[in-house]
Amino acid sequence: MQRLYAFIRRHPTWVDSFWAVFLLGVSGVQYAAGPVGGSEHIAGIPVLIGLCTAVALRRRAPERMLVLVALMGVVQLALDVKPSPADFAMLVLIYTCAADGKRWASRLALAGAVCAGTLAQVRWPSEGTQSRPQEVFLAVVLTVPFILAWVLGDSMRTRRAYLAQLEERAARLEKEREAQAKVAVAGERARIARELHDVVAHNVSVMVVQADGAAYVLDAAPDQAKQALETISSTGRQALAEMRRLLGVLRTGDARESGEYVPQPDVEQIKELVEHVRTAGLAVDFQVEGTPRPLPSGVELTAYRIVQEALTNSRKHGGPDVGASVRLVYFDDGLGLLVEDDGRGAAHELYEDGGADGQGHGLIGMRERIGMVGGTLDAGPRPGGGFRISALLPLKPAH
């Protein structure tokens, strides 16, 4: 049965042709049994052929076949060709044009549906004496099938249009979902790129400084060289742990399942960061003002990365014997950061272009991070020498 249904769906014209041949056969038998001769009998043959042809080609050219059926109906009325089973083609074409035809064809089919029963009753009244109400009732009864055929076809048109609209909406939503997924992926990649930059810029800088110091005092002060190597080792482990955390989000949850997930840095770890930088040889004064309290995770991560980037830039560009200070200020509606150093600072062109890491990405990354939480950043040379980075991070993101 499935094959039969598939064949019918693939060859609708063949199905219509089968029914057209069936109507032609039934109507031909009726005409052959009727009286021979007369103009109405001779005219009935082309009318019969025309109606059956309209059924066979109704899906290929519904508008033209509707006009053909209307013309055959006019010929029947004019030449007194009595109704036959082939007139079932009128019902079929009314339904087809209401469902698949153009709007003007659907309106013409509706007009034909309203008039067909009444015209047939007037042209070929029923035998026997009938009153006027009976004739009107019979005309209404003959009209109902034609109206129902048009209503059924128009309902099918509406249903198809509704399904097409649903499919279009589903396709549009699918495209929007894909676009949102691409935007989310791009945002995640940008976030990972910023994190990687901060991790590499800070930890590798510390390792380079310590390695240079260890090489310088290796012969004269072995204990200091050993301490520098230990700092390099701990810094490398920390960098590897953070890079595992970052790269783990690119996998399908492997980091969480294996227990290697490392929480993101927060404000509480800034003190550890400052101690680590002091161990690396940079004198840092750290102060906290206000009452510490829990902050949104995005604000805490942004604060940590800003301090990390600022101290890294101080160590890289501040010159010899540079000192720095870090201040965290808890306001009622936000967190303030102030990182300063008294070194020679970076070249003016670097911070003018938006960064101070030799590639122009340091301050750009800071501004991007602060922009994501709705904060403000002020960075530039300090009066009297050195560099200053001041940031205000609101507790609630800007709308």
Side-chain angles (χ1 to χ4, degrees):
M1 293 299 295
Q2 294 295 334
R3 293 183 179 180
L4 177 61
Y5 293 152
F7 176 82
I8 291 175
R9 286 193 296 267
R10 290 196 306 267
H11 304 88
T13 305
W14 288 24
V15 178
D16 295 337
S17 300
F18 169 79
W19 289 113
V21 171
F22 177 78
L23 285 179
L24 181 63
V26 174
S27 301
V29 170
Q30 178 181 341
Y31 268 79
V36 181
S39 59
E40 66 278 3
H41 187 81
I42 298 174
I45 296 177
V47 169
L48 175 63
I49 295 175
L51 292 174
C52 294
T53 302
V55 172
L57 302 178
R58 68 184 184 93
R59 302 196 206 198
R60 291 198 172 188
E63 295 83 6
R64 295 180 182 179
M65 295 303 104
L66 177 65
V67 173
L68 177 60
V69 166
L71 181 61
M72 294 299 101
V74 172
V75 171
Q76 280 187 271
L77 293 173
L79 300 181
D80 194 19
V81 178
K82 293 184 178 181
S84 66
D87 289 313
F88 185 76
M90 296 183 180
L91 283 172
V92 175
L93 264 297
I94 287 174
Y95 165 81
T96 301
C97 288
D100 302 322
K102 298 179 180 179
R103 280 299 177 184
W104 68 266
S106 178
R107 296 189 184 98
L108 179 60
L110 177 60
V114 173
C115 299
T118 302
L119 293 176
Q121 177 62 22
V122 172
R123 188 67 176 85
W124 301 287
S126 302
E127 297 180 359
T129 304
Q130 291 184 344
S131 62
R132 180 67 63 179
Q134 290 177 332
E135 294 180 354
V136 172
F137 176 75
L138 186 57
V140 171
V141 170
L142 292 175
T143 303
V144 168
F146 293 94
I147 297 296
L148 290 178
W150 186 89
V151 170
L152 181 60
D154 190 70
S155 300
M156 184 62 67
R157 177 197 292 269
T158 303
R159 181 173 178 272
R160 289 173 181 171
Y162 177 71
L163 292 178
Q165 184 179 8
L166 288 181
E167 291 178 357
E168 180 184 358
R169 183 181 302 175
R172 185 171 62 251
L173 290 176
E174 184 66 24
K175 292 181 179 178
E176 291 178 358
R177 192 178 301 112
E178 292 177 358
Q180 292 175 357
K182 291 180 180 179
V183 172
V185 169
E188 184 66 12
R189 289 178 177 175
R191 186 189 71 82
I192 293 173
R194 287 192 297 268
E195 293 286 317
L196 286 174
H197 167 267
D198 293 339
V199 171
V200 173
H202 171 72
N203 292 287
V204 173
S205 296
V206 172
M207 294 168 68
V208 170
V209 171
Q210 292 296 316
D212 290 341
Y216 182 75
V217 300
L218 182 60
D219 297 328
D223 294 337
Q224 295 183 12
K226 181 180 178 181
Q227 183 180 3
L229 292 175
E230 291 176 353
T231 302
I232 293 173
S233 177
S234 62
T235 303
R237 288 191 181 94
Q238 180 183 357
L240 287 176
E242 293 197 36
M243 292 182 70
R244 285 195 191 101
R245 174 181 63 81
L246 292 174
L247 298 179
V249 301
L250 300 178
R251 306 189 184 98
T252 56
D254 294 343
R256 294 175 184 263
E257 295 174 359
S258 61
E260 295 179 359
Y261 179 74
V262 180
Q264 289 184 339
D266 54 20
V267 174
E268 295 295 330
Q269 297 185 29
I270 293 180
K271 184 176 181 181
E272 299 178 8
L273 173 66
V274 170
E275 292 295 335
H276 187 71
V277 172
R278 287 171 179 168
T279 303
L282 177 63
V284 182
D285 177 38
F286 179 59
Q287 296 181 8
V288 178
E289 299 180 8
T291 303
R293 59 185 182 277
L295 301 173
S297 58
V299 173
E300 295 209 8
L301 176 61
T302 300
Y304 181 91
R305 292 305 186 195
I306 289 175
V307 174
Q308 184 184 52
E309 178 69 25
L311 293 179
T312 300
N313 289 340
S314 296
R315 186 170 51 251
K316 289 171 62 178
H317 304 291
D321 301 327
V322 61
S325 64
V326 177
R327 291 179 58 193
L328 268 67
V329 183
Y330 286 89
F331 298 105
D332 294 336
D333 57 350
L335 176 68
L337 295 173
L338 179 62
V339 183
E340 297 179 308
D341 66 62
D342 54 6
R344 63 171 181 262
H348 185 74
E349 293 78 4
L350 287 179
Y351 65 78
E352 258 194 353
D353 292 339
D357 62 346
Q359 296 294 332
H361 300 306
L363 290 181
I364 291 178
M366 289 187 189
R367 295 186 190 280
E368 289 179 351
R369 286 185 178 278
I370 292 177
M372 291 175 63
V373 297
T376 58
L377 174 69
D378 182 21
R382 198 178 64 152
F387 203 81
R388 171 186 293 159
I389 293 178
S390 175
L392 178 61
L393 308 179
L395 298 185
K396 295 183 178 179
H399 294 287

